Amino acid sequence: LTPYDVVLVDLGLPDMSGLEALAKMAGKAGSTKFILMGSSRETPAGLSAFGVDAYLGKPFQPHELETALHEALALWKPY
């Protein structure tokens, strides 16, 4: 597994939900931070249980992505 600082995951993946994908990655991710994207502008409840560090409602503006990246990386602890 190659370590990544941040991974963007969409809730609406074609083969599984984004939460299923997060569940599969979370145990192997080390210090990787996850930003979840979804069609709702309101943050769904309980995302921290899936290891979500930030949420982006679509469509989003570039500055919103920048804010989410800063939020996620503020929590980042290298190996």
Side-chain angles (χ1 to χ4, degrees):
L1 176 70
T2 301
Y4 295 96
D5 294 338
V6 177
V7 175
L8 298 168
V9 180
D10 197 314
L11 265 173
L13 297 173
D15 296 332
M16 69 179 75
S17 78
L19 293 178
E20 289 175 296
L22 283 171
K24 290 183 178 204
M25 290 186 276
K28 304 172 187 168
S31 64
T32 300
K33 298 300 170 194
F34 294 99
I35 298 174
L36 186 65
M37 300 176 290
S39 59
S40 172
R41 294 291 293 168
E42 295 192 24
T43 304
L47 291 181
S48 61
F50 290 93
V52 175
D53 299 290
Y55 176 81
L56 280 173
K58 298 185 289 185
F60 53 85
Q61 299 298 315
H63 72 275
E64 293 173 296
L65 175 58
E66 182 179 10
T67 298
L69 286 167
H70 283 287
E71 287 175 11
L73 291 175
L75 303 169
W76 185 70
K77 305 258 187 298
Y79 292 96

